[in-house]
Amino acid sequence: MSLRISKIIAKSLALVAILSSTCFAFSEGSDYVALKKPIPNAKNTLIKVFSYDCPFCYKYDKQVTPKVVPRLPADLQFRPFHLKTKGKYGPQGSELFAVLLVRDQKNGLKDKDLYSEKSLLKKAKMAYYNAYHDKKERWDAGPDAYLQTGLNAVGMTRAEFDKEKNDPKVKALLKEWDASYEVAKIQGVPAFVVNGKYLIMTKSITSVDSMLQLINELKSK
Amino acid sequence: MKPTEMFNTFKAAPIQTIAGWQDKRFLWILMAAVSLFMVILAHSVFQIWLYMRPCEQCVYIRFAFFCMAFGGIIAAIYPKNIGLKLVGYALAFWGTIQGIGYSLKLNKIHEAAHSDNPFGVQGCNPEPTFPFHLPLDKWSPEWFKPTGDCGYDNPIIPDGVVLSNLQKTITDFYQDGWYLWPPSHFMNMAQACLITFGICLLVLAVAAACWLLTLWRKRRSLEATERLACTGKHA
């Protein structure tokens, strides 16, 4: 008799465990979507597609991503992709960010240091966010005025930039970043993609912890 | 009809009176006019004259108002015709319900954009997806291509543009974005649209309900007279 009762209890506990685990699991469609056209060569990465001309990218870069990136699993590489199709100076922004990312890498910065104070990419990015969103700067004088804002933020000369943007590494990076557009058009930016396959639905992110949990789950999918 | 007389007829038979109104052109034209007024105000005054750029949800809201305007115009051709009226109601109901959805979403984004909590919403997409995949942004970019970001609708004046005194005063007034009363940030654009759609939905629902009820009552009384006629014959 007592054996039967304990069996029943064990069974119901198991049932509760199964139910609760499925309740907390993330689901495709509402928490993430599988990309129809995966980003090539993106195994073991978290890709963040962003644009200087996007207020939520600024919000995320101030309050969310700097807290997420240092806590990413060691075997997951963080890779920022700038979207060149958004904003009047998207292409110029992409070129400068690519040059600065390559410089950061040459300076020995690892992917997870891209939110540290040493990162030139971060300096320029924050300078653009600040100018565009806080000061409402629109660089109507043209692309040179736009570039100057970023160059000033990192203390780079125009001549250095013009030389470095022809670096094959920079060119390769820019080519890779072209995949951003197909991702961004699904639900806008910022967009986070795990393993080049799973796009996180930003609206379902409720905290830094929930975002990390989802990334961890998608990583091993 | 004098106003007092109108009021008395309404008091005596409110349902029939409202059903009678939606058989006339006036209400349909009013709805179309209000909807067109809202989009033209948004496009010509706020977007073109005051440099406030529309966002993704904003162009969807325009689409919803256009649906209502079309519905109103179609029904107003001849409101007594059931086919035209049904098309009118369908477009108008669909427009208001969609509009309420877009406004609620925009309001949520607006709140998140102006707070320290960016979670729970998705920012704007510069590539809009309209219902039925209508490429409205390609057909008419000036009206339907989003150039602004959700939650941010303050005027952005291009360099070199010389504002008139009036333009300067108004753009300064809206410098923190569109609010019904900007100095105290009272009621944002999404909330104002929500109220407009809400009122339209209420009026539509009442009009449709009174019309259907009157139709049903007519049918019942018709059946009753027929029955009476039949029993009369048998007797």
Side-chain angles (χ1 to χ4, degrees):
Chain A
M1 187 68 188
S2 65
L3 194 72
R4 254 182 68 191
I5 289 173
S6 56
K7 256 189 183 172
I8 289 170
I9 291 172
K11 269 187 188 167
S12 30
L13 277 178
L15 195 68
V16 168
I18 290 167
L19 281 176
S20 55
S21 69
T22 49
C23 281
F24 291 114
F26 298 105
S27 60
E28 186 165 356
S30 60
D31 296 302
Y32 66 91
V33 287
L35 293 179
K36 284 194 194 98
K37 234 166 91 185
I39 302 171
N41 309 318
K43 187 99 189 81
N44 299 324
T45 64
L46 172 70
I47 287 169
K48 181 196 75 174
V49 178
F50 74 105
S51 156
Y52 76 89
D53 170 337
C54 142
F56 271 86
C57 298
Y58 185 22
K59 288 243 154 201
Y60 266 74
D61 268 342
K62 269 197 297 193
Q63 289 153 358
V64 186
T65 336
K67 293 175 195 155
V68 169
V69 168
R71 287 172 60 195
L72 286 175
D75 57 345
L76 203 65
Q77 199 199 3
F78 173 70
R79 297 185 57 195
F81 277 38
H82 186 258
L83 173 65
K84 76 171 182 196
T85 51
K86 185 168 160 65
K88 193 173 171 193
Y89 300 117
Q92 285 82 5
S94 281
E95 277 190 340
L96 182 62
F97 291 140
V99 164
L100 296 179
L101 180 57
V102 169
R103 266 224 182 172
D104 276 347
Q105 287 163 349
K106 277 183 191 154
N107 291 340
L109 258 68
K110 298 267 180 302
D111 61 301
K112 290 185 182 78
D113 301 331
L114 290 175
Y115 280 91
S116 74
E117 291 310 314
K118 284 184 208 144
S119 165
L120 299 176
L121 173 66
K122 182 196 167 172
K123 269 188 197 151
K125 194 173 64 183
M126 288 325 243
Y128 281 116
Y129 282 146
N130 188 263
Y132 187 87
H133 300 286
D134 299 334
K135 298 189 185 134
K136 311 288 174 209
E137 168 77 81
R138 289 299 180 268
W139 302 283
D140 290 311
D144 289 340
Y146 173 85
L147 272 175
Q148 206 53 53
T149 300
L151 292 173
N152 288 346
V154 296
M156 190 185 234
T157 65
R158 182 64 197 258
E160 280 176 289
F161 168 71
D162 284 337
K163 200 179 125 227
E164 284 181 39
K165 76 177 182 197
N166 293 318
D167 184 324
K169 268 191 184 159
V170 172
K171 298 245 169 209
L173 205 52
L174 284 169
K175 210 169 165 213
E176 254 182 338
W177 286 3
D178 284 343
S180 303
Y181 175 72
E182 288 293 324
V183 176
K185 78 176 189 188
I186 299 171
Q187 52 145 21
V189 278
F192 296 89
V193 181
V194 180
N195 283 347
K197 275 196 291 195
Y198 301 109
L199 170 69
I200 292 175
M201 304 301 283
T202 325
K203 66 170 185 294
S204 75
I205 302 173
T206 50
S207 66
V208 169
D209 287 333
S210 80
M211 188 174 172
L212 279 164
Q213 243 177 353
L214 178 56
I215 291 169
N216 267 300
E217 187 176 300
L218 292 176
K219 177 183 86 113
S220 43
K221 254 181 105 77
Chain B
M1 213 190 281
K2 277 185 206 153
T4 42
E5 247 177 273
M6 244 170 90
F7 181 71
N8 284 338
T9 11
F10 181 78
K11 223 172 79 180
I15 292 171
Q16 282 96 314
T17 315
I18 294 173
W21 286 346
Q22 57 90 55
D23 265 344
K24 295 202 178 72
R25 290 211 169 97
F26 172 75
L27 270 185
W28 294 104
I29 290 174
L30 179 72
M31 182 183 71
V34 167
S35 308
L36 284 178
F37 173 79
M38 294 293 274
V39 264
I40 290 169
L41 183 73
H43 173 260
S44 303
V45 178
F46 290 114
Q47 181 183 342
I48 304 291
W49 193 54
L50 298 173
Y51 302 100
M52 293 158 89
R53 302 169 191 206
C55 68
E56 184 196 10
Q57 300 303 318
C58 310
V59 298
Y60 295 158
I61 288 173
R62 288 179 183 186
F63 170 74
F65 276 128
F66 270 119
C67 285
M68 290 161 61
F70 270 121
I73 291 166
I74 288 169
I77 295 171
Y78 189 61
K80 285 194 174 118
N81 178 296
I82 287 203
L84 291 175
K85 188 165 19 211
L86 280 178
V87 173
Y89 269 125
L91 277 170
F93 267 116
W94 196 68
T96 48
I97 291 164
Q98 291 271 335
I100 286 172
Y102 299 140
S103 306
L104 285 173
K105 189 166 177 194
L106 181 58
N107 187 46
K108 244 177 105 177
I109 298 176
H110 184 102
E111 312 254 281
H114 293 271
S115 75
D116 287 331
N117 178 7
F119 297 116
V121 295
Q122 171 63 48
C124 257
N125 194 341
E127 305 273 324
T129 319
F130 289 95
F132 309 113
H133 289 277
L134 286 171
L136 293 175
D137 54 318
K138 307 256 172 356
W139 290 344
S140 178
E142 210 189 72
W143 287 80
F144 291 113
K145 179 139 184 72
T147 46
D149 276 298
C150 290
Y152 296 91
D153 41 21
N154 43 301
I156 292 163
I157 295 131
D159 269 2
V161 166
V162 183
L163 297 178
S164 67
N165 280 337
L166 187 61
Q167 273 175 307
K168 173 95 178 69
T169 313
I170 305 177
T171 46
D172 283 348
F173 189 58
Y174 284 112
Q175 61 171 331
D176 287 338
W178 195 98
Y179 291 94
L180 195 61
W181 184 244
S184 52
H185 289 194
F186 171 72
M187 201 190 287
N188 66 36
M189 196 228 305
Q191 291 159 348
C193 290
L194 184 65
I195 290 174
T196 314
F197 284 121
I199 293 171
C200 288
L201 181 63
L202 188 73
V203 172
L204 273 168
V206 170
C210 292
W211 173 53
L212 291 176
L213 202 64
T214 320
L215 274 187
W216 180 70
R217 278 183 185 167
K218 257 190 210 154
R219 238 186 84 184
R220 231 180 37 168
S221 65
L222 208 70
E223 275 169 8
T225 41
E226 265 171 21
R227 245 199 327 270
L228 213 67
C230 283
T231 43
K233 237 185 249 166
H234 283 296

